[in-house]
Amino acid sequence: MAHDIAFFLAPDDTAAATTRLRGPGDAFESVTCRFLEPDTAIAEWDMYFEEPSAETPSPEKLYAWRPWPRYVTPPLNDGIEVFALPKRLTRALAGASNAELEALADRWTTRLRSEDGDDMTDDDLPAVLQAVARLATSAVNTGGGLYSWSY
């Protein structure tokens, strides 16, 4: 489980890769949270928009989902990961209604609570998702990309 996560805007993969060692910091607009698996969250969000359902996906279905987030920098043994969110997910988040984002946040929270119990993040997950959706809107409007950095 990643301790620190930032979803952030960057003009392209090259710019996103510069965040590898220190995170996006003040250089890129970002949303931070803690104690999540960003790649799993990204896959679940994408699955929700491609196959809408209020039901939480089974772990098998979730881990078999494609496309899985793409690495921007190769993974090393230091635990730092930089992913690009799929373009279709970025567009879906940007175009999502408040009701869709609330339904997704409910499903995501339910899955995390069932898997992590008391160890679940104490972040306000609906607020995190709403903020990531705002970043997605900016990415679509500027032609940039939406990324995640985690450690």
Side-chain angles (χ1 to χ4, degrees), residues 70-145:
R70 177 179 53 79
Y71 280 106
V72 173
T73 58
L76 302 174
N77 289 331
D78 59 6
I80 298 171
E81 297 176 321
V82 180
F83 294 111
L85 276 70
K87 292 286 187 194
R88 74 179 185 191
L89 174 58
T90 301
R91 288 188 301 271
L93 285 167
S97 68
N98 284 334
E100 288 173 312
L101 292 173
E102 288 172 15
L104 173 54
D106 287 346
R107 185 176 105 164
W108 183 34
T109 301
T110 299
R111 184 185 61 79
L112 290 176
R113 188 168 287 119
S114 73
E115 289 180 3
D116 299 338
D118 291 339
D119 292 332
M120 189 176 113
T121 181
D122 58 359
D123 283 306
D124 181 346
L125 296 179
V128 168
L129 188 58
Q130 288 280 346
V132 172
R134 284 191 294 278
L135 289 177
T137 300
S138 293
V140 167
N141 290 339
T142 63

